[in-house]
Amino acid sequence: MVREIWKRVFTARYLKYWTLALVLSVAAVALAPYAAEAVRARHRTATPPMRHLPYPPLDWPIEIANSQYLPLSWSDVPGWSDDDQLAAYRTFRASCKPIAAKPDGAPEDKALGDSLRDPCREARAADLADSAAAKAFFERNFEPLKISKLGDADGFVTGYYEPVIEGSRTQNEVYNVPVYRRPSNLFVRGFKQDATSLPNKGPVYRKIGRRKLVPYYDRAEIEDGAIEGRGLEIAWLRNQTDLLFAQIQGSARISLDDGSTVRINYDAYNGHPYTPVGRILIERGIIPREQMSMQRIRDWMEQNPDGANELRRMNRSYIFFREVQLSEKDEAVGAQGIPLTPGRSIAVDKSLHVYGTPFFITGELPIESEKSKTAFHRLMIAQDTGSAIVGPARADLYFGAGQEAGKVSGRLKHSMQFVMLVPRSLDPVVRGRRMPLPDARPSEKIAKLFPQVLPKEAAKEPVKEQAKDQDPSGKVAAAAAAVKDQNPPAPTASPSPATTVAQNVAAPQPIPLPEARPRIESDRNIRRLRYGRRHRNHR
């Protein structure tokens, strides 16, 4: 009977709590959207959070890997006033067309980024006609910056040109060496197989089936007929030496036996590293370094056909061409997609530099003859690239087409000074105005609550007094004194200043832990315990 009464009491009591819980749950579900909106409103009106050190790293205005810089004034640039900047201005203005064609906000990971847009807008808006105005244009829009490889004082230049080669559209006994266009099974990761522009560095694969990728054929395999019979032939040449020189230069004019001309340009390569054949001849002692030139290489290959085959195949890189529709008066097209200007266009390392960047190059070059030292101080525009052009101060000077241009460019292998013209929008002073300022200093009240103790001030603190307070019985001090008597200190030399400072600084003292927090039961727990005891006593 007693148990039956208690069950009814418990059921009535807990039924009230269950009903209340159910009502609260329904209310919470109904009010949830309003609570979420209140939280969002509070976050919208809240003050922005304080930045904490360290601040996120800021990009430097100029950052080119493995290079060093020296800012100059225009009066410190040797030969600047002696050059004809009008020719360079016209070449730069031609480079501005593809620069302006790029969409705004296009990603650019080079040092100059898209900073050439501002000077290009001014150059395209005004068609200057005299050298003085062109000189003022560059001084107004650019800052001179001497640049070289890290550890080197100067840069290095070579020359290139557009060869004129005899050939035929059909294969015959005289013209038997094919000029290949890009094969359809050539594959580069990240690029479509029919992409108009492929990189001239990095791995290149041959696609077998739908998924399998293997390295593409090297020069020896292609010369032995690995891709023949696929309809890839643009034209046919007399010998492999003519083809090799066209591949080294990246373009050529093929004078056909019917009187017409075919213009070919670089399109892709097979992914194997480029090995200069001239370097091999120097290392073997066949041609002295001081006598090395493109003409000497050609003469040696013609006199040694068997050795030429071996030498050529040591350069495993192979270039594929595309036919371009240019007249005989038009110059070769560079990697930027515009015709080059003889004497003003250069090829640079495209992984470091932006096409259209002006470089003022100074030094002495053998322009007139192999032994001449012609003063060279000329503003050049970066419009092309090449697999052998590597480094921040490395350039290939374009001299035009034909045999004479080939003689001049073939004997260039010289150290020169490079001055890169940097747009004023990348001026460190201008960029510094946009740098974020540090957070405000803490208030005087906060500074007093958290004082900063310097080493000298810490040395003046009563260390012995602190030790005495932590060891009131003196047992620790007595034990330390006993150990010191048993082990007297060895004689030492006069302490160094660093040792003296280290001894004067107070050693860190252990911080006592707070006492254990007493366990205090809440009123609700006490009532629950009492109720449970009463319930057990009644059973």
Side-chain angles (χ1 to χ4, degrees):
M1 187 66 179
V2 176
R3 288 186 179 181
E4 215 39 57
I5 295 173
W6 279 111
K7 284 183 180 181
R8 292 179 182 179
V9 172
F10 287 149
T11 304
R13 176 177 296 179
Y14 284 110
L15 181 61
K16 178 177 64 177
Y17 292 133
W18 290 341
T19 305
L20 179 61
L22 180 60
V23 173
L24 292 177
S25 300
V26 173
V29 172
L31 297 176
Y34 301 99
E37 180 62 27
V39 172
R40 286 194 293 268
R42 185 170 68 252
H43 282 291
R44 284 196 298 266
T45 58
T47 57
M50 181 180 294
R51 294 171 297 166
H52 298 284
L53 292 173
Y55 295 119
L58 299 173
D59 294 334
W60 287 97
I62 300 294
E63 189 173 356
I64 300 178
N66 197 28
S67 60
Q68 57 191 16
Y69 326 99
L70 178 63
L72 302 174
S73 61
W74 289 110
S75 59
D76 296 332
V77 180
W80 172 252
S81 300
D82 301 330
D83 188 26
D84 179 17
Q85 284 85 2
L86 181 60
Y89 170 80
R90 291 170 177 167
T91 306
F92 174 76
R93 198 165 182 262
S95 282
C96 287
K97 184 176 181 180
I99 292 175
K102 290 184 178 180
D104 293 336
E108 181 61 74
D109 57 351
K110 310 296 191 307
L112 295 189
D114 59 352
S115 61
L116 291 174
R117 286 179 177 269
D118 293 339
C120 274
R121 290 191 186 96
E122 182 176 340
R124 300 188 71 192
D127 188 6
L128 305 181
D130 61 278
S131 182
K135 178 172 176 287
F137 164 81
F138 286 109
E139 292 179 353
R140 183 170 58 254
N141 288 277
F142 294 91
E143 290 284 352
L145 187 73
K146 184 180 179 181
I147 183 172
S148 62
K149 184 179 178 182
L150 193 63
D152 295 343
D154 300 323
F156 189 76
V157 301
T158 51
Y160 75 114
Y161 71 110
E162 186 181 18
V164 179
I165 308 171
E166 294 182 355
S168 174
R169 282 288 193 182
T170 59
Q171 183 181 13
N172 53 51
E173 295 180 356
V174 178
Y175 304 105
N176 198 32
V177 176
V179 179
Y180 288 124
R181 61 174 53 90
R182 187 202 308 177
S184 60
N185 63 343
L186 186 144
F187 180 79
V188 180
R189 293 185 185 275
F191 292 84
K192 295 183 179 180
Q193 288 179 275
D194 58 349
T196 57
S197 178
L198 291 180
N200 61 350
K201 296 179 182 178
V204 175
Y205 302 97
R206 176 165 51 94
K207 202 168 187 179
I208 302 177
R210 301 182 64 180
R211 294 186 178 182
K212 187 175 181 181
L213 298 177
V214 296
Y216 208 81
Y217 302 115
D218 65 0
R219 176 178 292 275
E221 292 172 319
I222 295 175
E223 289 184 359
D224 290 340
I227 61 174
E228 68 180 5
R230 300 183 183 180
L232 301 174
E233 297 83 2
I234 298 175
W236 301 83
L237 306 180
R238 287 180 179 271
N239 52 58
Q240 293 286 355
T241 302
D242 287 343
L243 177 61
L244 174 65
F245 276 76
Q247 291 175 331
I248 293 175
Q249 303 305 319
S251 63
R253 304 185 184 197
I254 304 177
S255 298
L256 301 177
D257 50 3
D258 60 0
S260 61
T261 301
V262 174
R263 305 290 296 276
I264 56 175
N265 259 36
Y266 171 94
D267 191 31
Y269 89 125
N270 64 340
H272 293 276
Y274 171 75
T275 302
V277 294
R279 185 177 67 190
I280 300 174
L281 294 174
I282 293 174
E283 292 174 351
R284 293 182 177 182
I286 298 175
I287 299 178
R289 183 181 297 274
E290 60 274 8
Q291 299 179 12
M292 177 57 63
S293 66
M294 299 295 288
Q295 189 60 42
R296 287 296 304 270
I297 297 174
R298 179 181 286 274
D299 294 342
W300 185 87
M301 285 186 167
E302 292 177 354
Q303 297 170 7
N304 304 271
D306 294 336
N309 288 334
E310 178 198 357
L311 177 66
R312 189 178 59 254
R313 293 183 176 214
M314 294 185 70
N315 173 29
R316 302 179 64 195
S317 177
Y318 194 92
I319 302 300
F320 301 101
F321 293 95
R322 70 176 183 272
E323 186 175 349
V324 292
Q325 302 300 323
L326 296 174
S327 67
E328 294 186 3
K329 297 181 180 179
D330 295 329
E331 292 292 337
V333 176
Q336 194 183 10
I338 60 174
L340 303 174
T341 304
R344 292 293 174 176
S345 298
I346 58 174
V348 296
D349 189 345
K350 73 171 186 177
S351 66
L352 301 177
H353 298 299
V354 177
Y355 292 140
T357 303
F359 287 85
F360 193 74
I361 301 177
T362 60
E364 293 181 344
L365 294 176
I367 302 295
E368 304 297 333
S369 64
E370 292 185 2
K371 297 183 179 180
S372 65
K373 293 183 178 180
T374 306
F376 189 92
H377 37 74
R378 194 173 297 180
L379 185 59
M380 315 288 284
I381 309 299
Q383 296 178 329
D384 205 357
T385 188
S387 58
I389 312 302
V390 179
R394 175 73 173 91
D396 217 5
L397 281 59
Y398 178 70
F399 283 93
Q403 185 177 3
E404 189 61 32
K407 290 181 180 179
V408 175
S409 60
R411 54 178 176 252
L412 298 189
K413 297 177 294 295
H414 292 73
S415 297
M416 304 284 281
Q417 291 187 1
F418 281 66
V419 176
M420 183 170 68
L421 272 60
V422 180
R424 287 186 178 271
S425 59
L426 293 183
D427 187 357
V429 177
V430 177
R431 288 281 295 267
R433 298 193 185 106
R434 300 196 298 267
M435 291 176 64
L437 296 176
D439 293 329
R441 291 183 61 185
S443 63
E444 185 178 355
K445 181 178 180 180
I446 299 297
K448 289 182 178 180
L449 293 175
F450 302 96
Q452 300 294 322
V453 180
L454 299 177
K456 292 183 178 180
E457 297 177 358
K460 298 178 182 179
E461 294 181 1
V463 180
K464 295 183 179 179
E465 295 290 337
Q466 296 175 5
K468 185 176 180 181
D469 294 339
Q470 296 174 3
D471 185 24
S473 62
K475 294 181 180 180
V476 176
V483 173
K484 184 176 180 182
D485 294 339
Q486 294 177 3
N487 301 301
T492 58
S494 58
S496 62
T499 306
T500 305
V501 173
Q503 292 175 353
N504 291 336
V505 177
Q509 300 298 328
I511 300 175
L513 297 176
E515 296 180 1
R517 182 179 178 184
R519 183 178 178 182
I520 303 175
E521 296 289 349
S522 64
D523 295 340
R524 183 178 180 182
N525 291 338
I526 293 173
R527 287 196 300 270
R528 185 180 300 169
L529 293 173
R530 291 176 180 174
Y531 179 80
R533 285 196 295 269
R534 289 198 303 267
H535 176 64
R536 286 194 297 271
N537 294 334
H538 286 285
R539 294 178 62 180

